Amino acid sequence: MFSTFSSEALRRMRDHYASDVEAEFARPQDPKHGDLTTTAALRLSKLLSRPPREIAEEIAAMLREMPEVEGADVAGAGYVNIRLKPDVLLAELDIVTDATKAKKPQKKDKPVIIEYSQPNIAKPLAIHHIIGTVLGQSMVNLYRHQGANVISWNYIGDWGTQFGKLAVAYEKWGGKKPVAGYTLDELLKLYVRFHEEVKTDESLDDQGREAFRKLEQGDKTLRAFWKDVVAVTKSSLEDIYLRLGVTFDLDLGESFYEDKMEPVLEEGKKKGVFTEGEGGSLIVAFPEEKNMSPYLVLKGDGATLYSTRDLAQMKYRIQTYDPKEVLIFTDIAQKLHFEQLVETCTMLGWKLPAFENVLFGRMRFVDKSMSTRKGNVLELEHVVDEAVHRAEEIVKERGDAIQTDDPKELAEMMGVGALVYGILSQNRKMDIVFDWDKMLSFEGNSAPYLQYTHARARSVLRKAENEEPSAPKTVPVFTEHDRILLTTLLQFPAAIESARSEHMPHKLATFLHQLAQDFNRFYNVEPILQADEPTRTLRLFLTFLTAQVLKTGAALLTMRVPDRM
């Protein structure tokens, strides 16, 4: 934002004070104080041993001489607030238009691998899965929007002892019904029953481990069973992913690394990284200064683990894709595992790409009845259906106040959007609070509020019979609300960059909420269609840009916005 002005202002300060001072120009917390503010005087005060306000007065005088500046004033301990001329502000709007357009993907660049969702086969997605799923998808969207070469990856839990347990349960209580005829709920019930029965028959655990051992060794019957279970699960997942706007380039699960684990185990033993642990197992013992518990990579009975497959996966990704960056979205409980994984890769001498285990908090429910009970998974699909149902009721209650040609489609858009945005608008590093009332509110930081604001802006453009207005050729006099809306729009590129680079999509959500608030204040105070020229053209253009930014930002957050509402 204002990069040309900022560079020239900084050059003048450095020349004047003969100092290599670093000065940042940012928007004031209260936009009524100006378009930009700088704390350069506070920094220079320490270097020059002079009062900061004295230096601030000099800087303000210096800035007033610049042709772009309408005014510069000193505030507080030494802040300099700057107001730019309207023509300078208008010229900057090109960056907003550019930011609404996705850059061309740089397919020649090394890829960024983003792994997220990670469902387990034979189990429906539970409500907590939505956090990593939509966080990961929003990050894929943000990276791609900025032109990155991205591989979106769903690492499916389709291997492990749980398949042995499910196979035993199917054999004992499945009633000979073909697996293809099962729903995910029915498969889950078999798995839950296994764990209930094992309380009175501990031999079931041994039977489950033996069944998985046979599966790993290639037993034809168990392999066929496993393939059918995977097919049923993937078919079910496709429906919910489609509703959430989630897509993947690859869904290579744990089973893909079945033949890739042994070479890694041999390499680890040869390099002395994997050593014998209790009962003939293989472990990684970390240096004492790392303060990490041993990392189990092979059980004493020869069975592989999640860690074995993750090591094989890391090596496969490095060798196959040579990625620039790898992001893996998981909840906070996985923190130690990935710290151990990365340290093990380093000890093995592998050249790792930039890597981040992007952590997020647990889900908490305002409505305690939604908390998962033992053996009773709160399924994501059911929660999505409930969100849409609640949105349908809101549409009915509002009657003629809601304008739509398709109430069911609007309810789907509102319900799913409320759920997704309700997650992404929160800081992922904190526990995510699930609150129906806030998510579906038409006020506050919610999807319906953004969706309604977009529809309001589009309605103005329809009434003007000008769907894509241009900037005015003659610069009008700005009111306070004109200026605030314009300078808020100018924050859009920075909001995208901050959300992407910090892997914090709530920063984009926060910006979109601020934009919606500023537009609605502007809409309620300033005449748009009835304004005289060139003010009318300016306000139509700001309305158009607001709609474009809200639509683009919502899509980056896996959300749709209606044209009518």
Side-chain angles (χ1 to χ4, degrees):
M1 178 182 174
F2 306 118
S3 57
T4 302
F5 164 79
S6 300
S7 298
E8 175 60 18
L10 183 58
R11 184 192 66 78
R12 291 190 182 204
M13 278 188 273
R14 286 174 174 172
D15 288 349
H16 181 83
Y17 293 105
S19 173
D20 193 25
V21 65
E22 291 298 325
E24 295 180 356
F25 292 85
R27 192 191 196 196
Q29 286 189 340
D30 185 346
K32 293 178 183 178
H33 293 162
D35 306 315
L36 292 171
T37 189
T38 182
T39 59
L42 301 176
R43 299 190 181 198
L44 280 165
S45 175
K46 295 178 181 179
L47 291 173
L48 305 177
S49 299
R50 290 174 55 195
R53 277 194 67 92
E54 182 180 292
I55 298 173
E57 292 289 357
E58 291 176 357
I59 292 174
M62 190 187 314
L63 293 175
R64 290 186 203 109
E65 295 175 0
M66 294 181 66
E68 299 94 338
V69 174
E70 186 176 81
D73 302 300
V74 176
Y79 295 90
V80 179
N81 295 327
I82 308 147
R83 290 175 71 85
L84 299 175
K85 291 180 179 176
D87 61 322
V88 175
L89 294 173
L90 270 179
E92 288 286 325
L93 285 175
D94 285 345
I95 70 168
V96 181
T97 302
D98 291 343
T100 62
K101 301 171 184 175
K103 294 179 182 176
K104 186 176 180 180
Q106 300 300 311
K107 291 298 183 183
K108 292 182 180 179
D109 290 351
K110 289 184 177 183
V112 176
I113 294 175
I114 303 179
E115 178 197 312
Y116 53 108
S117 195
Q118 305 120 335
N120 287 315
I121 292 298
K123 297 178 183 178
L125 287 176
I127 179 57
H128 65 269
H129 280 106
I130 193 173
I131 304 176
T133 300
V134 297
L135 276 171
Q137 187 63 54
S138 67
M139 204 50 51
V140 168
N141 297 346
L142 284 160
Y143 268 84
R144 283 187 174 147
H145 189 78
Q146 292 195 318
N149 178 17
V150 177
I151 299 173
S152 58
W153 197 308
N154 195 4
Y155 184 45
I156 297 174
D158 62 354
W159 207 242
T161 309
Q162 68 268 29
F163 285 98
K165 295 177 179 180
L166 184 61
V168 170
Y170 175 75
E171 181 65 28
K172 289 183 177 295
W173 310 298
K176 305 302 180 184
K177 178 181 175 180
V179 176
Y182 272 76
T183 64
L184 274 190
D185 285 342
E186 290 171 333
L187 289 174
L188 179 61
K189 285 178 181 178
L190 281 178
Y191 189 70
V192 170
R193 181 170 180 181
F194 178 94
H195 285 277
E196 288 297 321
E197 297 282 346
V198 83
K199 293 175 184 176
T200 56
D201 183 1
E202 293 181 0
S203 69
L204 286 173
D205 266 339
D206 292 332
Q207 294 176 46
R209 283 190 286 268
E210 177 62 17
F212 179 59
R213 187 183 66 80
K214 289 181 178 179
L215 177 62
E216 281 196 301
Q217 292 175 346
D219 182 283
K220 290 184 179 180
T221 301
L222 286 169
R223 287 279 167 147
F225 165 78
W226 170 77
K227 286 181 179 178
D228 286 344
V229 171
V230 171
V232 168
T233 307
K234 285 188 176 181
S235 176
S236 177
L237 290 174
E238 284 177 4
D239 295 335
I240 191 66
Y241 283 146
L242 181 64
R243 292 179 76 183
L244 293 173
V246 173
T247 58
F248 300 96
D249 298 314
L250 292 172
D251 63 358
L252 299 181
E254 293 181 63
S255 63
F256 179 75
Y257 304 97
E258 183 188 3
D259 61 348
K260 298 171 178 60
M261 291 183 282
E262 187 59 35
V264 171
L265 291 170
E266 289 301 317
E267 179 183 350
K269 287 188 287 186
K270 185 177 179 180
K271 291 180 176 179
V273 176
F274 300 164
T275 56
E276 188 170 326
E278 187 177 342
S281 63
L282 283 181
I283 64 168
V284 180
F286 300 106
E288 188 175 340
E289 64 269 17
K290 294 297 179 181
N291 196 27
M292 287 191 288
S293 56
Y295 195 41
L296 183 63
V297 296
L298 190 71
K299 291 182 179 180
D301 62 3
T304 58
L305 300 107
Y306 192 77
S307 55
T308 330
R309 293 181 278 282
D310 262 9
L311 284 165
Q313 175 178 242
M314 189 69 85
K315 186 164 189 177
Y316 174 79
R317 286 173 171 171
I318 292 169
Q319 292 180 336
T320 307
Y321 298 100
D322 187 21
K324 173 184 178 182
E325 192 174 359
V326 174
L327 307 178
I328 299 181
F329 283 79
T330 71
D331 77 17
I332 191 69
Q334 297 291 313
K335 184 174 185 288
L336 175 60
H337 165 75
F338 282 100
E339 287 174 348
Q340 292 172 318
L341 175 69
V342 170
E343 184 60 27
T344 300
C345 294
T346 302
M347 291 169 68
L348 287 166
W350 297 351
K351 184 181 178 182
L352 289 174
F355 175 84
E356 183 178 350
N357 175 208
V358 186
L359 297 168
F360 50 85
R362 301 296 183 86
M363 181 170 279
R364 292 194 293 110
F365 301 97
V366 171
D367 179 357
K368 299 300 182 184
S369 67
M370 291 185 69
S371 298
T372 304
R373 295 180 296 277
K374 189 175 181 181
N376 183 18
V377 175
L378 189 62
E379 294 183 27
L380 177 55
E381 184 178 8
H382 297 166
V383 176
V384 172
D385 288 341
E386 175 67 14
V388 173
H389 171 70
R390 289 180 182 234
E392 285 176 345
E393 293 302 310
I394 290 172
V395 171
K396 289 177 184 177
E397 288 170 9
R398 289 189 165 243
D400 293 340
I402 294 280
Q403 298 180 1
T404 177
D405 298 326
D406 191 340
K408 283 192 172 296
E409 177 64 14
L410 177 61
E412 176 79 9
M413 201 180 295
M414 284 175 59
V416 175
L419 196 56
V420 167
Y421 187 82
I423 302 300
L424 294 178
S425 60
Q426 299 184 59
N427 185 333
R428 64 170 172 81
K429 294 183 179 181
M430 311 293 286
D431 280 353
I432 305 297
V433 180
F434 189 103
D435 185 340
W436 280 123
D437 291 339
K438 285 185 178 180
M439 287 180 176
L440 284 162
S441 173
F442 270 72
E443 298 175 356
N445 193 8
S446 68
Y449 181 65
L450 299 188
Q451 290 167 327
Y452 182 74
T453 303
H454 175 267
R456 169 177 271 184
R458 296 306 307 177
S459 175
V460 171
L461 298 173
R462 283 194 300 274
K463 289 176 182 176
E465 298 182 349
N466 190 355
E467 295 289 327
E468 294 190 23
S470 302
K473 294 180 180 179
T474 304
V475 180
V477 175
F478 285 5
T479 66
E480 178 185 299
H481 289 93
D482 293 335
R483 185 180 285 266
I484 288 175
L485 179 57
L486 190 156
T487 54
T488 298
L489 284 164
L490 290 175
Q491 309 299 311
F492 184 46
I496 291 178
E497 172 56 24
S498 178
R500 183 206 61 80
S501 63
E502 298 176 42
H503 310 142
M504 300 285 270
H506 82 281
K507 294 199 167 188
L508 175 58
T510 300
F511 162 79
L512 294 176
H513 177 231
Q514 182 65 57
L515 174 62
Q517 287 182 309
D518 289 343
F519 175 77
N520 284 314
R521 292 190 192 102
F522 160 86
Y523 175 90
N524 290 327
V525 172
E526 305 292 359
I528 301 175
L529 300 180
Q530 289 74 35
D532 294 332
E533 293 295 353
T535 300
R536 183 179 189 273
T537 298
L538 167 70
R539 291 177 180 166
L540 279 176
F541 187 54
L542 293 178
T543 300
F544 167 70
L545 281 181
T546 298
Q548 290 297 97
V549 168
L550 288 173
K551 184 173 184 177
T552 303
L556 292 173
L557 298 177
T558 76
M559 194 177 94
R560 294 184 293 155
V561 290
D563 282 348
R564 299 175 185 272
M565 189 171 176

